[in-house]
Amino acid sequence: MKEAKIITRDLTLHYSQKMALNSINIQIPEKEVTAFIGPSGCGKSTFLRCLNRMNDLIPNVHIKGEILIDGLNIYQKKIDVVNLRKKIGMVFQKSNPFAKSIFENVAYGPRINGINNMKLLTGIVERSLKNAAIWDEVKDRMHDSALGLSGGQQQRLCIARTLAVEPEIILMDEPASALDPISTGKIEELIFELKKNYTIVIVTHNMQQAARVSDFTAFFYLGELIEHGKTRKIFTAPDNKQTEEYITGRFG
Amino acid sequence: MNSDPAKNKFVFTADSLKKKFRLSEFLSEKIITSVAFLSIAVIILIFIFVFRESLPAFRPRAKHNIEKTASAGNKPESYGGETTGTQQKPESYTGAEPATKENKPEAYGIVKDTALTTEVKNVDGNLVSSENNNDEGSLSSLFSNEWYPVSDNPRYGLIPLFIGTLKVTLIAMLFAVPIAILAALFSSAFAPPWLREWIKPAIELLAGFPSVVIGFFALMVMATVFQNFFGYETRLNSFVGGAAMALAAIPIIFTITEDALTAIPATYKEASLALGASRWQTAVFVTLPAATPGIFAAVLLGVGRVFGETMIALMATGNAALSSLNPFESVRTLAATIGAEMAEVVFGDMHYGILFLIGSILFIFNFSLNALAEFYIKGKLVRKIQGR
Amino acid sequence: MRLKNKLIGGAIVTSSAISVVLIIAVIVIILVVTIIGGKDKLSWEFLTSFPKEGMMEGGIFPAIYGTVLLVIIMSIAAVPFGTITAIYLSEYAHEKSWLAQTIRFAVRTLATVPSIIFGLFGLGFFIKFVGVGMDNWFLGGQLRWAQPNLLWGSLTMALLTLPVVIVSVEEAIRTVPMELREASLALGATKWQTIWKVVIPGSISGIMTGTILAVSRGAGEVAPILFTGAAYYLATLPTSVSDQFMNLGYHIYVMSTQSSNVDQTLPIQFATTLVLLMLTFTLNFTAVLIRSRLRRRVK
């Protein structure tokens, strides 16, 4: 069993007075795909955003508890959030490429890190696009605007952009929910390839997708972690009754 | 690529993720924040310096560089004979007046041989003292009805200037408010969407006309047309000036009123229509009253615009400081007074200070009007929508 | 009863429509009159030559030149400061904070201050305070900066147009979606890097709109430069910012109110007005075009 890359202890989050996450304790293993499932508004996306401290951007948010990555609590005082985010990548629900060329989108991360040598950049960009399974489709139009790509292509471009900074963990917030089935399939194949080298956490409201793609699954409901375990187990013989009711579609 | 498992373990370490101080971030935030203060600083500076220069109204500054001409037999010079007579005559730009504008660069602080000083000579005609001895008397003239700033007995009565400004503003509002509000009503309630897309920018074009152009138009065209149509005597007066000012005020009142009308939630309109009211009834009896705070704010801002307008006043109102209530007589507005006379005053003397005083009054008035439009209206608007 | 309602309704709709027509008509009339009055005098020579024979003949080149210089210096001052303030308001300030509210109030107040007050400020602050200070400190009391000139006129105008720039740029910055900022930050960019590389490039059209609108106002306003630098007749073009300058709007004002031979100068007055009007008209039109394209992009 691979070691836990991410461990959370009693993670609690409040929006002003309202509690959104209640004492989450979870262990996310390294180089596996963990899926967060649960009905709308259950807190899975909120929790995901805690992992790379994106919730810091929201005013009136109060976070208690710890999130340990490789044993290091990322919520302690002296952590540099900017550097942290370089090691944790995020793919958003709606693809958000910059209004720049395809090349410049992927090169954005390395440029931020001070790499401006064109030769190096070209190498990184090519590698990232290949790893995101979109190289063949864009190799002839690297300097066209990224906004000219289709929805599915844009999302893979965003994945390439994330890969270019060489993170260790990739967080995906419903990456395929806005895409057609074929694009969704391509993304799921991609996830399967990526997990060889990256720890992946994916939020999805599509249970079948979770079953297809993930090794471990965590079920959230109303801000609490109800059950967490190997995907096979969760979907065939869950321990918790609520989990079973959600899986079988009794509510959601 | 993350191929080395041993290397992975140590990427997330306290050391590698230690809080880093980034100079560029720090500097950029500090600089940006400081620059943002500029707008506040400017307002405060305007307060300070416009008021500061009004002080000579109460205590003129010593004039170091007035040359004393100790020539025998000089009697006190005065402007009285030449200009006082023509001072209050309404100007008519038919070319009768010679070009009097100074052609050399204006410089403040350099000697002007004006006769605001009275030279006291002794019996032999030798200069004993030279001072400006008109000040104590003339300050009390602030509330008088006479504006004669350049004469041997200067009087700085602000009343005619106030009356002139009020007349022009009133006339401008009488023209502008109904037209602008009706136009806004049409645009927001009766016009089809495609037409609305055209009307708004079209009227905003009027806002883009420089006021000197409107003043020119008023001076050359409107004045003649109005005089022929209404048949009054003075060509340039508060009526034509006010009508021209209305052109400047209409875009502002229109834009804000239109915004206020379209901001009324669709649910208000739908409720009314569902009760069987027609479109115009909804517009007039539901939307319009609901937008009253915004419309009031629009009118206030229109008033502010006209009150301080200079160029149109200078060109189209006749520039005579008369106190009559007749709209067809020439007037002098506060702003026009500053514009017309500031170039001719001696720095630091009472006239200079009084002009700045007028400026201070204008500034305070506008500031208060703006604050009123902001806080009161916004407060009322918020309360109204919350149903209190 | 029905009929009465219909009549009243008809009257209201008609009168409001007439109001719109009236306003548009006035705009058209002003344009037409100016064109008719000025088109004959308008020529390439008119735009490029100097006035002759005491303003009775010749062209208005120095007025155009002076106006252009004024506007350039004004923009150099106003655009960066206005853009930075807009960046502060949209990216750094906490919306409800006292500071943000005060700055916004200050900007709105600045926008409604009568233009003549800016002229007074230019005189009392720039000329009589800064200028006097400069003369005393750098020139030992010699008179060079404590008088009206291009620099003070431009800076005064810059204060007048500052709110225009701030409002336009802020509007454009707000059209940059939050998701782009999030994407940048999630990649490990700092706040300033995000602003510089994502937000500002995304708001270029707003910066352009703001600049164009500011330029249009700066070219047309006269009150602020009445006694901070504009002159009616200068024999030579300004060569330094401490020189005075001629100006289209000022020229129109003086010529139309103080000209000694109206018949001869009237065509020049109309032509000059036409030039100024065409200039501001084109600038405003362009800005409105860019702005509406920007707004459509958001939808």
Side-chain angles (χ1 to χ4, degrees), chain C residues 260-288:
Chain C
S260 47
N261 185 334
V262 176
D263 290 326
Q264 243 188 308
T265 55
L266 201 58
I268 300 181
Q269 293 175 36
F270 269 99
T272 314
T273 308
L274 183 59
V275 170
L276 181 61
L277 199 53
M278 290 291 104
L279 182 66
T280 53
F281 199 85
T282 317
L283 288 170
N284 277 5
F285 193 71
T286 316
V288 165

PDB file of all heavy atoms in Angstrom, chain C residues 260-288:
ATOM      1  N   SER C 260     -12.015  91.939 -33.674  1.00  0.00           N
ATOM      2  CA  SER C 260     -12.343  93.310 -34.066  1.00  0.00           C
ATOM      3  C   SER C 260     -13.056  93.383 -35.409  1.00  0.00           C
ATOM      4  O   SER C 260     -13.772  94.311 -35.680  1.00  0.00           O
ATOM      5  CB  SER C 260     -11.076  94.159 -34.113  1.00  0.00           C
ATOM      6  OG  SER C 260     -10.075  93.456 -34.811  1.00  0.00           O
ATOM      7  N   ASN C 261     -12.862  92.395 -36.229  1.00  0.00           N
ATOM      8  CA  ASN C 261     -13.564  92.426 -37.509  1.00  0.00           C
ATOM      9  C   ASN C 261     -14.294  91.113 -37.700  1.00  0.00           C
ATOM     10  O   ASN C 261     -13.738  90.129 -38.172  1.00  0.00           O
ATOM     11  CB  ASN C 261     -12.559  92.650 -38.647  1.00  0.00           C
ATOM     12  CG  ASN C 261     -13.279  92.816 -39.973  1.00  0.00           C
ATOM     13  OD1 ASN C 261     -14.399  92.311 -40.164  1.00  0.00           O
ATOM     14  ND2 ASN C 261     -12.657  93.529 -40.887  1.00  0.00           N
ATOM     15  N   VAL C 262     -15.565  91.128 -37.295  1.00  0.00           N
ATOM     16  CA  VAL C 262     -16.282  89.870 -37.264  1.00  0.00           C
ATOM     17  C   VAL C 262     -16.462  89.262 -38.637  1.00  0.00           C
ATOM     18  O   VAL C 262     -16.323  88.054 -38.832  1.00  0.00           O
ATOM     19  CB  VAL C 262     -17.663  90.075 -36.595  1.00  0.00           C
ATOM     20  CG1 VAL C 262     -18.466  88.795 -36.648  1.00  0.00           C
ATOM     21  CG2 VAL C 262     -17.474  90.512 -35.170  1.00  0.00           C
ATOM     22  N   ASP C 263     -16.765  90.057 -39.616  1.00  0.00           N
ATOM     23  CA  ASP C 263     -17.025  89.503 -40.948  1.00  0.00           C
ATOM     24  C   ASP C 263     -15.852  88.710 -41.469  1.00  0.00           C
ATOM     25  O   ASP C 263     -16.012  87.656 -42.074  1.00  0.00           O
ATOM     26  CB  ASP C 263     -17.360  90.631 -41.924  1.00  0.00           C
ATOM     27  CG  ASP C 263     -18.719  91.219 -41.603  1.00  0.00           C
ATOM     28  OD1 ASP C 263     -19.590  90.434 -41.169  1.00  0.00           O
ATOM     29  OD2 ASP C 263     -18.905  92.437 -41.762  1.00  0.00           O
ATOM     30  N   GLN C 264     -14.664  89.241 -41.213  1.00  0.00           N
ATOM     31  CA  GLN C 264     -13.500  88.543 -41.748  1.00  0.00           C
ATOM     32  C   GLN C 264     -13.134  87.321 -40.928  1.00  0.00           C
ATOM     33  O   GLN C 264     -12.705  86.314 -41.468  1.00  0.00           O
ATOM     34  CB  GLN C 264     -12.307  89.499 -41.810  1.00  0.00           C
ATOM     35  CG  GLN C 264     -11.845  89.713 -43.230  1.00  0.00           C
ATOM     36  CD  GLN C 264     -10.564  90.504 -43.263  1.00  0.00           C
ATOM     37  OE1 GLN C 264     -10.478  91.566 -42.668  1.00  0.00           O
ATOM     38  NE2 GLN C 264      -9.576  89.976 -43.942  1.00  0.00           N
ATOM     39  N   THR C 265     -13.284  87.460 -39.608  1.00  0.00           N
ATOM     40  CA  THR C 265     -12.821  86.335 -38.788  1.00  0.00           C
ATOM     41  C   THR C 265     -13.883  85.272 -38.582  1.00  0.00           C
ATOM     42  O   THR C 265     -13.580  84.166 -38.144  1.00  0.00           O
ATOM     43  CB  THR C 265     -12.370  86.819 -37.402  1.00  0.00           C
ATOM     44  OG1 THR C 265     -13.440  87.535 -36.805  1.00  0.00           O
ATOM     45  CG2 THR C 265     -11.131  87.671 -37.510  1.00  0.00           C
ATOM     46  N   LEU C 266     -15.126  85.572 -38.894  1.00  0.00           N
ATOM     47  CA  LEU C 266     -16.180  84.582 -38.660  1.00  0.00           C
ATOM     48  C   LEU C 266     -15.917  83.237 -39.335  1.00  0.00           C
ATOM     49  O   LEU C 266     -16.069  82.195 -38.709  1.00  0.00           O
ATOM     50  CB  LEU C 266     -17.536  85.144 -39.105  1.00  0.00           C
ATOM     51  CG  LEU C 266     -18.754  84.468 -38.471  1.00  0.00           C
ATOM     52  CD1 LEU C 266     -18.679  84.568 -36.960  1.00  0.00           C
ATOM     53  CD2 LEU C 266     -20.031  85.118 -38.968  1.00  0.00           C
ATOM     54  N   PRO C 267     -15.517  83.227 -40.601  1.00  0.00           N
ATOM     55  CA  PRO C 267     -15.214  81.923 -41.217  1.00  0.00           C
ATOM     56  C   PRO C 267     -14.102  81.184 -40.489  1.00  0.00           C
ATOM     57  O   PRO C 267     -14.165  79.961 -40.336  1.00  0.00           O
ATOM     58  CB  PRO C 267     -14.777  82.287 -42.642  1.00  0.00           C
ATOM     59  CG  PRO C 267     -15.296  83.649 -42.883  1.00  0.00           C
ATOM     60  CD  PRO C 267     -15.367  84.323 -41.559  1.00  0.00           C
ATOM     61  N   ILE C 268     -13.103  81.946 -40.039  1.00  0.00           N
ATOM     62  CA  ILE C 268     -12.021  81.287 -39.298  1.00  0.00           C
ATOM     63  C   ILE C 268     -12.567  80.697 -37.996  1.00  0.00           C
ATOM     64  O   ILE C 268     -12.217  79.586 -37.606  1.00  0.00           O
ATOM     65  CB  ILE C 268     -10.882  82.282 -38.982  1.00  0.00           C
ATOM     66  CG1 ILE C 268     -10.305  82.839 -40.279  1.00  0.00           C
ATOM     67  CG2 ILE C 268      -9.800  81.619 -38.156  1.00  0.00           C
ATOM     68  CD1 ILE C 268      -9.176  83.809 -40.076  1.00  0.00           C
ATOM     69  N   GLN C 269     -13.446  81.460 -37.338  1.00  0.00           N
ATOM     70  CA  GLN C 269     -14.018  80.953 -36.100  1.00  0.00           C
ATOM     71  C   GLN C 269     -14.771  79.655 -36.342  1.00  0.00           C
ATOM     72  O   GLN C 269     -14.614  78.681 -35.608  1.00  0.00           O
ATOM     73  CB  GLN C 269     -14.977  81.987 -35.503  1.00  0.00           C
ATOM     74  CG  GLN C 269     -14.296  83.251 -35.026  1.00  0.00           C
ATOM     75  CD  GLN C 269     -15.319  84.279 -34.559  1.00  0.00           C
ATOM     76  OE1 GLN C 269     -16.334  83.918 -33.980  1.00  0.00           O
ATOM     77  NE2 GLN C 269     -15.042  85.536 -34.812  1.00  0.00           N
ATOM     78  N   PHE C 270     -15.590  79.674 -37.375  1.00  0.00           N
ATOM     79  CA  PHE C 270     -16.356  78.463 -37.674  1.00  0.00           C
ATOM     80  C   PHE C 270     -15.440  77.300 -38.043  1.00  0.00           C
ATOM     81  O   PHE C 270     -15.654  76.161 -37.629  1.00  0.00           O
ATOM     82  CB  PHE C 270     -17.361  78.716 -38.802  1.00  0.00           C
ATOM     83  CG  PHE C 270     -18.697  79.171 -38.310  1.00  0.00           C
ATOM     84  CD1 PHE C 270     -19.036  80.516 -38.319  1.00  0.00           C
ATOM     85  CD2 PHE C 270     -19.605  78.263 -37.824  1.00  0.00           C
ATOM     86  CE1 PHE C 270     -20.268  80.940 -37.853  1.00  0.00           C
ATOM     87  CE2 PHE C 270     -20.850  78.664 -37.362  1.00  0.00           C
ATOM     88  CZ  PHE C 270     -21.182  80.014 -37.370  1.00  0.00           C
ATOM     89  N   ALA C 271     -14.422  77.616 -38.840  1.00  0.00           N
ATOM     90  CA  ALA C 271     -13.521  76.544 -39.263  1.00  0.00           C
ATOM     91  C   ALA C 271     -12.788  75.960 -38.073  1.00  0.00           C
ATOM     92  O   ALA C 271     -12.600  74.745 -37.969  1.00  0.00           O
ATOM     93  CB  ALA C 271     -12.547  77.076 -40.304  1.00  0.00           C
ATOM     94  N   THR C 272     -12.339  76.834 -37.184  1.00  0.00           N
ATOM     95  CA  THR C 272     -11.635  76.344 -35.991  1.00  0.00           C
ATOM     96  C   THR C 272     -12.574  75.487 -35.151  1.00  0.00           C
ATOM     97  O   THR C 272     -12.183  74.419 -34.652  1.00  0.00           O
ATOM     98  CB  THR C 272     -11.115  77.517 -35.152  1.00  0.00           C
ATOM     99  OG1 THR C 272     -10.495  78.469 -35.996  1.00  0.00           O
ATOM    100  CG2 THR C 272     -10.125  77.035 -34.111  1.00  0.00           C
ATOM    101  N   THR C 273     -13.807  75.957 -34.992  1.00  0.00           N
ATOM    102  CA  THR C 273     -14.787  75.177 -34.245  1.00  0.00           C
ATOM    103  C   THR C 273     -15.005  73.834 -34.915  1.00  0.00           C
ATOM    104  O   THR C 273     -15.098  72.795 -34.244  1.00  0.00           O
ATOM    105  CB  THR C 273     -16.128  75.926 -34.153  1.00  0.00           C
ATOM    106  OG1 THR C 273     -15.891  77.233 -33.656  1.00  0.00           O
ATOM    107  CG2 THR C 273     -17.095  75.203 -33.245  1.00  0.00           C
ATOM    108  N   LEU C 274     -15.059  73.852 -36.229  1.00  0.00           N
ATOM    109  CA  LEU C 274     -15.257  72.610 -36.956  1.00  0.00           C
ATOM    110  C   LEU C 274     -14.111  71.645 -36.687  1.00  0.00           C
ATOM    111  O   LEU C 274     -14.326  70.456 -36.433  1.00  0.00           O
ATOM    112  CB  LEU C 274     -15.365  72.912 -38.459  1.00  0.00           C
ATOM    113  CG  LEU C 274     -15.652  71.722 -39.376  1.00  0.00           C
ATOM    114  CD1 LEU C 274     -16.951  71.065 -38.990  1.00  0.00           C
ATOM    115  CD2 LEU C 274     -15.693  72.167 -40.823  1.00  0.00           C
ATOM    116  N   VAL C 275     -12.891  72.166 -36.734  1.00  0.00           N
ATOM    117  CA  VAL C 275     -11.731  71.305 -36.479  1.00  0.00           C
ATOM    118  C   VAL C 275     -11.829  70.687 -35.079  1.00  0.00           C
ATOM    119  O   VAL C 275     -11.668  69.480 -34.894  1.00  0.00           O
ATOM    120  CB  VAL C 275     -10.415  72.108 -36.618  1.00  0.00           C
ATOM    121  CG1 VAL C 275      -9.241  71.297 -36.122  1.00  0.00           C
ATOM    122  CG2 VAL C 275     -10.197  72.521 -38.064  1.00  0.00           C
ATOM    123  N   LEU C 276     -12.106  71.525 -34.092  1.00  0.00           N
ATOM    124  CA  LEU C 276     -12.189  71.023 -32.719  1.00  0.00           C
ATOM    125  C   LEU C 276     -13.305  69.998 -32.586  1.00  0.00           C
ATOM    126  O   LEU C 276     -13.138  68.943 -31.970  1.00  0.00           O
ATOM    127  CB  LEU C 276     -12.419  72.179 -31.743  1.00  0.00           C
ATOM    128  CG  LEU C 276     -12.494  71.785 -30.267  1.00  0.00           C
ATOM    129  CD1 LEU C 276     -11.195  71.155 -29.820  1.00  0.00           C
ATOM    130  CD2 LEU C 276     -12.818  72.990 -29.405  1.00  0.00           C
ATOM    131  N   LEU C 277     -14.434  70.309 -33.182  1.00  0.00           N
ATOM    132  CA  LEU C 277     -15.576  69.413 -33.072  1.00  0.00           C
ATOM    133  C   LEU C 277     -15.282  68.066 -33.741  1.00  0.00           C
ATOM    134  O   LEU C 277     -15.571  67.009 -33.186  1.00  0.00           O
ATOM    135  CB  LEU C 277     -16.801  70.069 -33.715  1.00  0.00           C
ATOM    136  CG  LEU C 277     -18.150  69.497 -33.292  1.00  0.00           C
ATOM    137  CD1 LEU C 277     -18.281  69.485 -31.791  1.00  0.00           C
ATOM    138  CD2 LEU C 277     -19.267  70.307 -33.915  1.00  0.00           C
ATOM    139  N   MET C 278     -14.693  68.124 -34.925  1.00  0.00           N
ATOM    140  CA  MET C 278     -14.348  66.886 -35.613  1.00  0.00           C
ATOM    141  C   MET C 278     -13.383  66.067 -34.778  1.00  0.00           C
ATOM    142  O   MET C 278     -13.497  64.850 -34.673  1.00  0.00           O
ATOM    143  CB  MET C 278     -13.714  67.192 -36.982  1.00  0.00           C
ATOM    144  CG  MET C 278     -14.667  67.745 -38.012  1.00  0.00           C
ATOM    145  SD  MET C 278     -15.882  66.539 -38.565  1.00  0.00           S
ATOM    146  CE  MET C 278     -17.337  67.097 -37.691  1.00  0.00           C
ATOM    147  N   LEU C 279     -12.439  66.750 -34.186  1.00  0.00           N
ATOM    148  CA  LEU C 279     -11.442  66.063 -33.372  1.00  0.00           C
ATOM    149  C   LEU C 279     -12.095  65.337 -32.200  1.00  0.00           C
ATOM    150  O   LEU C 279     -11.924  64.127 -32.020  1.00  0.00           O
ATOM    151  CB  LEU C 279     -10.419  67.089 -32.870  1.00  0.00           C
ATOM    152  CG  LEU C 279      -9.259  66.543 -32.044  1.00  0.00           C
ATOM    153  CD1 LEU C 279      -8.381  65.666 -32.905  1.00  0.00           C
ATOM    154  CD2 LEU C 279      -8.448  67.690 -31.456  1.00  0.00           C
ATOM    155  N   THR C 280     -12.856  66.085 -31.399  1.00  0.00           N
ATOM    156  CA  THR C 280     -13.456  65.455 -30.227  1.00  0.00           C
ATOM    157  C   THR C 280     -14.491  64.415 -30.628  1.00  0.00           C
ATOM    158  O   THR C 280     -14.617  63.371 -29.996  1.00  0.00           O
ATOM    159  CB  THR C 280     -14.118  66.497 -29.309  1.00  0.00           C
ATOM    160  OG1 THR C 280     -15.020  67.276 -30.073  1.00  0.00           O
ATOM    161  CG2 THR C 280     -13.087  67.373 -28.651  1.00  0.00           C
ATOM    162  N   PHE C 281     -15.224  64.708 -31.661  1.00  0.00           N
ATOM    163  CA  PHE C 281     -16.234  63.781 -32.155  1.00  0.00           C
ATOM    164  C   PHE C 281     -15.609  62.438 -32.519  1.00  0.00           C
ATOM    165  O   PHE C 281     -16.057  61.376 -32.076  1.00  0.00           O
ATOM    166  CB  PHE C 281     -16.908  64.395 -33.378  1.00  0.00           C
ATOM    167  CG  PHE C 281     -18.223  63.784 -33.724  1.00  0.00           C
ATOM    168  CD1 PHE C 281     -19.369  64.229 -33.105  1.00  0.00           C
ATOM    169  CD2 PHE C 281     -18.311  62.770 -34.664  1.00  0.00           C
ATOM    170  CE1 PHE C 281     -20.599  63.686 -33.419  1.00  0.00           C
ATOM    171  CE2 PHE C 281     -19.541  62.209 -34.976  1.00  0.00           C
ATOM    172  CZ  PHE C 281     -20.680  62.666 -34.357  1.00  0.00           C
ATOM    173  N   THR C 282     -14.555  62.470 -33.334  1.00  0.00           N
ATOM    174  CA  THR C 282     -13.896  61.241 -33.748  1.00  0.00           C
ATOM    175  C   THR C 282     -13.348  60.483 -32.549  1.00  0.00           C
ATOM    176  O   THR C 282     -13.519  59.263 -32.435  1.00  0.00           O
ATOM    177  CB  THR C 282     -12.734  61.553 -34.701  1.00  0.00           C
ATOM    178  OG1 THR C 282     -13.148  62.539 -35.622  1.00  0.00           O
ATOM    179  CG2 THR C 282     -12.277  60.313 -35.419  1.00  0.00           C
ATOM    180  N   LEU C 283     -12.711  61.192 -31.652  1.00  0.00           N
ATOM    181  CA  LEU C 283     -12.147  60.537 -30.477  1.00  0.00           C
ATOM    182  C   LEU C 283     -13.249  59.856 -29.666  1.00  0.00           C
ATOM    183  O   LEU C 283     -13.129  58.687 -29.295  1.00  0.00           O
ATOM    184  CB  LEU C 283     -11.417  61.563 -29.603  1.00  0.00           C
ATOM    185  CG  LEU C 283     -10.095  62.068 -30.166  1.00  0.00           C
ATOM    186  CD1 LEU C 283      -9.591  63.249 -29.358  1.00  0.00           C
ATOM    187  CD2 LEU C 283      -9.056  60.965 -30.163  1.00  0.00           C
ATOM    188  N   ASN C 284     -14.322  60.585 -29.388  1.00  0.00           N
ATOM    189  CA  ASN C 284     -15.410  60.009 -28.603  1.00  0.00           C
ATOM    190  C   ASN C 284     -16.018  58.808 -29.293  1.00  0.00           C
ATOM    191  O   ASN C 284     -16.304  57.784 -28.675  1.00  0.00           O
ATOM    192  CB  ASN C 284     -16.505  61.063 -28.365  1.00  0.00           C
ATOM    193  CG  ASN C 284     -16.172  61.934 -27.197  1.00  0.00           C
ATOM    194  OD1 ASN C 284     -15.103  61.825 -26.627  1.00  0.00           O
ATOM    195  ND2 ASN C 284     -17.082  62.808 -26.843  1.00  0.00           N
ATOM    196  N   PHE C 285     -16.229  58.942 -30.582  1.00  0.00           N
ATOM    197  CA  PHE C 285     -16.828  57.867 -31.351  1.00  0.00           C
ATOM    198  C   PHE C 285     -15.976  56.604 -31.247  1.00  0.00           C
ATOM    199  O   PHE C 285     -16.479  55.514 -31.009  1.00  0.00           O
ATOM    200  CB  PHE C 285     -16.969  58.321 -32.808  1.00  0.00           C
ATOM    201  CG  PHE C 285     -17.839  57.440 -33.627  1.00  0.00           C
ATOM    202  CD1 PHE C 285     -19.202  57.423 -33.423  1.00  0.00           C
ATOM    203  CD2 PHE C 285     -17.297  56.614 -34.596  1.00  0.00           C
ATOM    204  CE1 PHE C 285     -20.025  56.608 -34.181  1.00  0.00           C
ATOM    205  CE2 PHE C 285     -18.115  55.795 -35.350  1.00  0.00           C
ATOM    206  CZ  PHE C 285     -19.477  55.788 -35.146  1.00  0.00           C
ATOM    207  N   THR C 286     -14.660  56.785 -31.444  1.00  0.00           N
ATOM    208  CA  THR C 286     -13.749  55.633 -31.350  1.00  0.00           C
ATOM    209  C   THR C 286     -13.826  54.995 -29.979  1.00  0.00           C
ATOM    210  O   THR C 286     -13.923  53.772 -29.851  1.00  0.00           O
ATOM    211  CB  THR C 286     -12.304  56.084 -31.606  1.00  0.00           C
ATOM    212  OG1 THR C 286     -12.283  56.956 -32.715  1.00  0.00           O
ATOM    213  CG2 THR C 286     -11.401  54.892 -31.843  1.00  0.00           C
ATOM    214  N   ALA C 287     -13.802  55.830 -28.951  1.00  0.00           N
ATOM    215  CA  ALA C 287     -13.838  55.294 -27.591  1.00  0.00           C
ATOM    216  C   ALA C 287     -15.125  54.532 -27.349  1.00  0.00           C
ATOM    217  O   ALA C 287     -15.118  53.438 -26.769  1.00  0.00           O
ATOM    218  CB  ALA C 287     -13.693  56.422 -26.576  1.00  0.00           C
ATOM    219  N   VAL C 288     -16.249  55.072 -27.792  1.00  0.00           N
ATOM    220  CA  VAL C 288     -17.535  54.412 -27.595  1.00  0.00           C
ATOM    221  C   VAL C 288     -17.554  53.081 -28.325  1.00  0.00           C
ATOM    222  O   VAL C 288     -18.068  52.079 -27.816  1.00  0.00           O
ATOM    223  CB  VAL C 288     -18.686  55.318 -28.076  1.00  0.00           C
ATOM    224  CG1 VAL C 288     -19.973  54.528 -28.216  1.00  0.00           C
ATOM    225  CG2 VAL C 288     -18.890  56.459 -27.112  1.00  0.00           C
TER     226      VAL C 288
END
